[in-house]
Amino acid sequence: MIKETLRTIFNSQMKTAEVFYARSINPGVSAYPEGNTLITKEALDRMNDSFSGKPVVITHKDWEKQTPVGYVVKSFYVPQDGYFWVEFIISDDIALN
């Protein structure tokens, strides 16, 4: 992972946040409780911009109940490797450790 260190003010205290890059969602079959769904590259291209500002959580299980540890800055497709990537900021000390 590529990372940069930033200083940010959070709750009136200096805290370190880090920027990370990671592979994200990819085309293929996804399993949902209602059944399997084929997610195409074209669908992901249309959804791509909607990832900006989404919360980052530790696990997907019960993600709606979790406190975000960071946020997605942007999502982008890299044709050279064929993957969607996300740039995200983590500002939670526990998650950073």
Side-chain angles (χ1 to χ4, degrees), residues 6-21:
L6 302 173
R7 292 229 170 251
T8 181
I9 297 178
F10 183 77
N11 290 337
S12 300
Q13 297 176 10
M14 287 301 261
K15 193 172 186 177
T16 300
E18 293 187 34
V19 176
F20 295 89
Y21 295 85

Side-chain angles (χ1 to χ4, degrees), residues 1-2 7 9 14 21 28 32 42 44 50 61 80:
M1 277 190 205
I2 302 168
R7 292 229 170 251
I9 297 178
M14 287 301 261
Y21 295 85
Y32 293 96
E42 293 76 23
L44 292 175
S50 71
K61 184 176 180 179
Q80 292 85 347

Side-chain angles (χ1 to χ4, degrees), residues 1-2 5 8 13 16 20 23 26-27 29-30 40 47 52 57-58 66 68 70-71 73-75 78-80 83 92:
M1 277 190 205
I2 302 168
T5 302
T8 181
Q13 297 176 10
T16 300
F20 295 89
R23 289 183 188 167
N26 287 311
V29 177
S30 290
T40 65
M47 293 171 40
S52 294
V57 293
I58 301 300
Q66 295 181 47
Y71 291 91
V73 175
K74 66 181 174 182
S75 176
V78 177
Q80 292 85 347
Y83 287 97
D92 179 272

Side-chain angles (χ1 to χ4, degrees), residues 25 30-37 39:
I25 193 167
S30 290
Y32 293 96
E34 303 81 25
N36 294 340
T37 300
I39 301 175

Side-chain angles (χ1 to χ4, degrees), residues 24-90:
S24 183
I25 193 167
N26 287 311
V29 177
S30 290
Y32 293 96
E34 303 81 25
N36 294 340
T37 300
L38 175 63
I39 301 175
T40 65
K41 163 106 172 32
E42 293 76 23
L44 292 175
D45 286 337
R46 291 191 302 272
M47 293 171 40
N48 197 39
D49 290 340
S50 71
F51 289 111
S52 294
K54 295 293 189 272
V56 174
V57 293
I58 301 300
T59 67
H60 279 169
K61 184 176 180 179
D62 296 324
W63 68 269
E64 302 96 337
K65 298 175 186 174
Q66 295 181 47
T67 301
V69 297
Y71 291 91
V72 174
V73 175
K74 66 181 174 182
S75 176
F76 52 96
Y77 181 73
V78 177
Q80 292 85 347
D81 69 6
Y83 287 97
F84 282 88
W85 287 77
V86 288
E87 175 185 5
F88 58 101
I89 295 176
I90 301 295

